[in-house]
Amino acid sequence: MKARKIPLALATAVLTASSLAAAPAPALAQSRPLGGLFSCDGSGKKQEGGALIGAAAGALLGRNLAKNEKTLGTLLGAAAGAAAGSYIGCRMQSTDAALAEQATKKALETGVAQTWYNKRTGHSGRVSVLSSSYGPPVDSRGLRFASGVQTLPSYEAAGGAYAAAGSTNLRAGPSTRTATIGKLAAGESFDALGLVPAGGWVLVGRGGEAVGYAAASLVRPAGQTVASCRVIDASMSGGGQGTSSQRYSACRDAGGEWRLTQA
């Protein structure tokens, strides 16, 4: 049986990855405080900010190098990319980390994209806000629906109390093609039980029961509400490593602090 050859560049990347990250990467499925993204752990072998120089780029590199071994190349490339991210992250200059953390926090607080640049190191980054909501997704199994109201698997969290801008039809589903099953009077307030993920519709609640869908363009939040969850894309470039990015989901905890998970 003829042994398959692995490209030298790929083999080098794998060996480098092994030397840089002997310890397995900690799971990011569990949320971490914002500051945890920009500090190395006790072993000095993994830094959550290193995910900004992540496995996705490594997977692509490995796949391109191993033309005849796509699966192997992708897997090894991803491992190399993750290890490189760990290595670079742990060696991020403290001034880089401070600027990146500050930009990330401001983006989360304001919902507006932020950039940072460190003239001392030449590194820069951008934190883009992809979406915002008022909490984790709402599972429809926890809601009561009136007869005839269509059910979706889940909804984006809404801000609570809403009011109709004018006389508004309530629809059986999130579409003008569905039947009209009720109305909201101008100025009438109601509980927004959720927002349709595809956008454009609000699930209207009365007495804790979903009674229909209202067009989002015809209703508005009754008071000022602040988004408690956001999805962000954080990118970093410089240091001869090119540009790489990682997506995160972030929600406020009970104490008002942002906690992130890798999306």
Side-chain angles (χ1 to χ4, degrees), residues 24-26 28 39-41 43-48 50-51 82 85-87 89-90:
L28 286 179
S39 60
C40 227
D41 66 12
S43 68
K45 294 180 179 178
K46 178 67 181 176
Q47 195 265 355
E48 303 309 331
S86 305
Y87 175 79
C90 262

Side-chain angles (χ1 to χ4, degrees), residues 135-145 151-157 193-194 203:
V138 178
D139 191 328
S140 63
R141 292 175 295 182
L143 301 174
R144 291 189 296 113
F145 288 80
T151 305
L152 301 182
S154 65
Y155 301 86
E156 293 181 359
L193 300 181
L203 182 62

Side-chain angles (χ1 to χ4, degrees), residues 58-151:
L60 179 60
L61 174 63
R63 190 171 177 83
N64 289 337
L65 290 174
K67 293 181 180 179
N68 297 320
E69 293 290 346
K70 295 299 185 183
T71 302
L72 176 62
T74 299
L75 291 175
L76 295 181
S86 305
Y87 175 79
I88 295 169
C90 262
R91 285 153 180 77
M92 178 186 281
Q93 293 288 334
S94 60
T95 50
D96 284 346
L99 291 170
E101 182 174 356
Q102 183 180 22
T104 303
K105 184 174 183 179
K106 188 170 183 179
L108 290 171
E109 294 289 347
T110 64
V112 178
Q114 302 294 322
T115 59
W116 60 271
Y117 172 70
N118 189 349
K119 62 182 180 180
R120 291 175 56 185
T121 64
H123 294 166
S124 62
R126 177 180 176 85
V127 183
S128 302
V129 179
L130 305 181
S131 66
S132 301
S133 66
Y134 300 95
V138 178
D139 191 328
S140 63
R141 292 175 295 182
L143 301 174
R144 291 189 296 113
F145 288 80
S147 177
V149 178
Q150 293 180 11
T151 305

Side-chain angles (χ1 to χ4, degrees), residues 24-33 36-39 46-55 82 86 246-250 259-263:
L28 286 179
Q30 296 180 347
S31 65
R32 296 178 179 274
L37 285 175
F38 306 98
S39 60
K46 178 67 181 176
Q47 195 265 355
E48 303 309 331
L52 302 182
I53 314 292
S86 305
Q246 178 61 58
R247 185 170 296 186
Y248 294 94
S249 296
R259 298 187 66 85
L260 287 78
T261 56
Q262 191 172 345

Side-chain angles (χ1 to χ4, degrees), residues 197-212:
W201 294 89
V202 179
L203 182 62
V204 176
R206 286 178 179 152
E209 182 178 56
V211 296

